[in-house]
Amino acid sequence: MPNDPLEAVDVRILEALQTDGRMTNQTLSEEVGLSTSPCWRRVRQLEETGVIKGYRAELDRKKIGLGVLAFIRVKIDSHSEQEAEEFSASVSKLKEVVACYSIAGDADFLLQVVSPDLDTYADFAMAVVRRLPRIKEMQTTFVLKEIKPFEGLPLSFARG
């Protein structure tokens, strides 16, 4: 199912759950136009096939004291698979790094980082990130204002 086009009802289920992952099966079934049992079975199938990976609370980072959002572009000095995996494993352990991507272009990795303030970020960048294995160069870009934060995936591409 993950690589197959989704049926229209599955897309409606996913759209509803991306908006409110806590809605009851009764509410969901009413919203998507299914009876409760078939709706529940479809949700279970979407979970079992990995289309739905989990359910989380969406937090306001500023309200929990994480006022700084930054992206760090990282170049590593070697491109062997082992060294890239070593770097990835090290980054995966850092709680300040909320997302990391291997990218194409003039850098090798893009790290999304949160921090309480600029001083704490500077300490983290200099004492931790700069000391990661194989770092050749790093460049930070600070987010001044979130124009369109992530709120879910576009499902118009998933229709069968």
Side-chain angles (χ1 to χ4, degrees):
M1 180 180 219
N3 296 323
D4 296 334
L6 297 170
E7 293 183 33
V9 69
D10 295 324
V11 172
R12 290 195 310 270
I13 288 170
L14 295 171
E15 287 171 339
L17 289 175
Q18 276 196 133
T19 301
D20 180 4
R22 292 185 65 174
M23 72 173 53
T24 65
N25 186 55
Q26 177 68 40
T27 304
L28 178 62
S29 65
E30 290 169 5
E31 189 164 321
V32 301
L34 280 178
S35 60
T36 56
S37 292
C39 184
W40 180 82
R41 282 193 296 273
R42 284 187 176 270
V43 170
R44 292 288 298 149
Q45 181 183 20
L46 291 166
E47 292 169 347
E48 289 169 3
T49 58
V51 174
I52 296 175
K53 294 170 48 173
Y55 300 89
R56 294 174 186 81
E58 182 180 342
L59 307 179
D60 183 320
R61 71 176 169 81
K62 293 177 185 174
K63 288 183 180 177
I64 61 170
L66 297 170
V68 172
L69 175 60
F71 290 89
I72 305 174
R73 295 165 48 86
V74 174
K75 292 182 187 179
I76 57 175
D77 62 7
S78 177
H79 293 93
S80 76
E81 185 174 335
Q82 178 185 351
E83 289 162 346
E85 287 177 11
E86 183 181 333
F87 177 84
S88 299
S90 297
V91 166
S92 296
K93 296 174 186 171
L94 303 174
K95 65 184 182 330
E96 296 89 347
V97 177
V98 295
C100 177
Y101 307 94
S102 175
I103 61 173
D106 63 351
D108 300 304
F109 295 92
L110 181 65
L111 284 59
Q112 185 176 2
V113 176
V114 293
S115 182
D117 53 52
L118 287 174
D119 290 335
T120 306
Y121 172 80
D123 292 343
F124 170 73
M126 300 311 290
V128 178
V129 178
R130 284 236 184 248
R131 294 188 177 148
L132 289 172
R134 307 293 184 199
I135 290 250
K136 179 179 179 181
E137 185 179 319
M138 64 181 261
Q139 177 185 19
T140 299
T141 302
F142 291 102
V143 172
L144 300 176
K145 183 177 184 180
E146 287 180 272
I147 306 301
K148 184 181 178 184
F150 181 77
E151 292 182 354
L153 297 171
L155 292 166
S156 58
F157 301 103
R159 297 188 194 276

